[in-house]
Amino acid sequence: MKTKNLIDKLYKNNYLDFDEIVYILNHIENQGKDYLIEKAHETRMKTYGNKVYMRGLIEFSNYCTKGCKYCGINSFNKNVERYRLNLEEIQECSELGYSLGYRTFVLQGGEDNYYSDDMIVEIIKEIKNKYKDVAVTLSLGEKPYESYEKYYNAGADRYLLRHETASKELFEKIHINTDYNNRIESLWNLKKIGYQVGAGFMVGIPTQTKEDLAKDLLFLKELDPEMVGIGPFIPHKDTIYKNQQGGTLEDTITMIALTRLFLPHGLLPATTALGTIDPLGREKGIKAGANVVMPNLSPTTVREKYSLYDGKICTGDEAAECRNCIEKRIVSSGFSIDMSRGDNIKWRQNND
């Protein structure tokens, strides 16, 4: 009964304290999970209705200077066949995406110093000048404040930078040459500049505790990002975590639902990782409050090379196949596709 009462309190106030979150995570059984998902779905229907926003993902480089222990494209992995897309190839991806109806492009890459600020600015301007009605989202990792500012002034609308875990101790355990304080400061810098900001975390990281997950929710409440990407930890065969147990669908769904209740206006992707650990993972994520999907627009020749974790789905599908497949899945789950820019509703109200 206490779990249900706490879920009701969260549904009403969009907030619980640390001990209350930990209590839910420790005591949520199947019935409690169903109730949590029901309340998360209600919240999403009140804010966004049954819309699921489609973003076109362009993974343009798998070079990375970082040594994150969980990531398949980390700088220490010598088994990765590295690639970079040039400006023309990125434009071809966006052209194809635009013809398929996408009005948001997500440009994602490892932390690759080959692309100077001027090159990134050129990529942004090329897309924004050609397509006046699109949003450009960047996911390029940690950068100096001045670089973020240049991209924003060039027309970038959003920036995704997952914090991965709000526990400093756990963060330092799973990263090699990445500083926790700099990661958090980068997120606040992005907010200050004016981006729609995306944070996010992994569920099921080796040694992660319920208390660590509670810290994630409280950090997100404080940051109040426009987007939150939540996915399960999935081991990669070429990392030191290759033999570790991965995160579960159930735990990830629970965290998506809790995040929806903490951040009613948030845009929450049903990630490819969810679909990788369960054939219906993305649909289950959407039913628990997620409202974004990001089909892949990258050339099929490079998709398998952008391997953050093992077993990634849809690496062989053409862009049109990806779009049609996901659209059918969403519609058959009782939701509708929205191909617009799909801005965060609270951000839109504040910027009209």
Side-chain angles (χ1 to χ4, degrees):
M1 181 58 85
K2 184 179 176 184
T3 304
K4 184 173 180 294
N5 290 342
L6 286 174
I7 293 168
D8 286 336
K9 182 179 176 182
L10 177 57
Y11 175 73
K12 184 181 174 189
N13 301 330
N14 308 121
Y15 186 79
L16 292 175
D17 66 28
F18 181 82
D19 290 339
E20 290 171 326
I21 300 167
V22 173
Y23 185 91
I24 285 182
L25 293 175
N26 279 326
H27 294 90
I28 194 156
E29 300 304 331
N30 286 333
Q31 196 176 356
K33 280 183 186 171
D34 291 344
Y35 188 65
L36 172 65
I37 288 167
E38 183 188 318
K39 299 315 268 185
H41 176 70
E42 278 181 38
T43 300
R44 153 290 170 68
M45 292 301 288
K46 280 196 297 188
T47 48
Y48 286 100
N50 72 345
K51 290 178 179 177
V52 177
Y53 299 99
M54 296 267 261
R55 325 288 204 206
L57 179 64
I58 303 170
E59 296 164 334
F60 67 91
S61 169
N62 71 347
Y63 282 84
C64 194
T65 59
K66 297 294 185 182
C68 308
K69 295 179 184 178
Y70 50 85
C71 181
I73 63 168
N74 77 70
S75 59
F76 299 107
N77 187 358
K78 302 300 179 213
N79 296 327
V80 182
E81 189 183 340
R82 304 285 177 176
Y83 75 90
R84 293 183 176 110
L85 300 185
N86 60 34
L87 176 62
E88 189 179 336
E89 289 168 317
I90 293 169
Q91 293 305 322
E92 285 172 5
C93 293
S94 61
E95 199 171 309
L96 173 62
Y98 196 85
S99 71
L100 289 170
Y102 292 100
R103 295 300 178 263
T104 288
F105 299 121
V106 181
L107 302 173
Q108 182 170 298
E111 299 209 16
D112 182 1
N113 295 328
Y114 169 82
Y115 295 92
S116 66
D117 284 351
D118 288 346
M119 290 169 77
I120 299 294
V121 163
E122 186 182 2
I123 291 166
I124 296 163
K125 284 185 170 176
E126 283 282 336
I127 294 174
K128 295 289 283 195
N129 289 339
K130 190 167 185 183
Y131 309 114
K132 306 295 184 192
D133 56 341
V134 305
V136 169
T137 302
L138 302 178
S139 182
L140 312 174
E142 294 171 28
K143 300 277 186 181
Y145 187 97
E146 297 71 28
S147 298
Y148 288 149
E149 208 167 32
K150 283 178 188 171
Y151 309 156
Y152 184 76
N153 292 335
D157 302 274
R158 307 172 187 147
Y159 202 103
L160 306 179
L161 180 65
R162 299 212 322 191
H163 63 278
E164 302 302 357
T165 172
S167 161
K168 189 171 191 285
E169 184 187 2
L170 183 58
F171 187 96
E172 288 171 350
K173 197 181 286 185
I174 64 175
H175 294 92
I176 291 177
N177 53 349
T178 302
D179 180 72
Y180 173 82
N181 292 329
N182 191 61
R183 176 65 58 93
I184 300 303
E185 185 185 358
S186 295
L187 283 161
W188 285 108
N189 284 342
L190 290 162
K191 289 277 287 187
K192 187 176 175 185
I193 290 165
Y195 284 94
Q196 291 184 61
V197 175
F201 59 95
M202 279 187 294
V203 179
I205 303 167
T207 76
Q208 186 181 51
T209 64
K210 303 286 196 296
E211 287 77 9
D212 293 331
L213 291 168
K215 287 178 189 174
D216 283 313
L217 291 170
L218 292 175
F219 169 68
L220 289 170
K221 190 64 181 176
E222 182 190 4
L223 181 69
D224 194 25
E226 283 72 27
M227 305 165 283
V228 183
I230 302 166
F233 161 71
I234 303 176
H236 189 285
K237 62 182 176 8
D238 295 324
T239 68
I240 64 170
Y241 287 146
K242 62 185 177 187
N243 296 321
Q244 294 286 342
Q245 184 106 19
T248 67
L249 179 75
E250 290 72 24
D251 288 347
T252 309
I253 294 294
T254 295
M255 294 311 296
I256 289 172
L258 286 169
T259 302
R260 169 57 67 204
L261 292 174
F262 265 88
L263 300 173
H265 301 98
L267 291 160
L268 309 182
T271 60
T272 304
L274 275 182
T276 298
I277 62 170
D278 185 295
L280 296 174
R282 285 175 296 186
E283 291 91 322
K284 290 173 182 176
I286 289 166
K287 288 174 179 175
N291 61 342
V292 172
V293 290
M294 297 198 286
N296 208 322
L297 291 173
S298 310
T300 51
T301 51
V302 302
R303 284 202 205 164
E304 283 189 1
K305 299 170 191 173
Y306 201 87
S307 173
L308 308 185
Y309 49 80
D310 284 347
K312 186 177 173 186
I313 55 171
C314 303
T315 54
D317 292 352
E318 296 289 347
E321 285 179 285
C322 264
R323 203 214 119 149
N324 293 337
C325 167
I326 289 179
E327 180 162 1
K328 278 180 194 161
R329 286 168 171 266
I330 289 167
V331 171
S332 66
S333 301
F335 297 88
S336 68
I337 289 293
D338 190 310
M339 296 298 291
S340 70
R341 280 173 51 115
D343 293 299
N344 175 288
I345 199 164
K346 191 163 79 170
W347 179 91
R348 201 168 64 227
Q349 288 161 358
N350 293 338
N351 287 272
D352 275 348

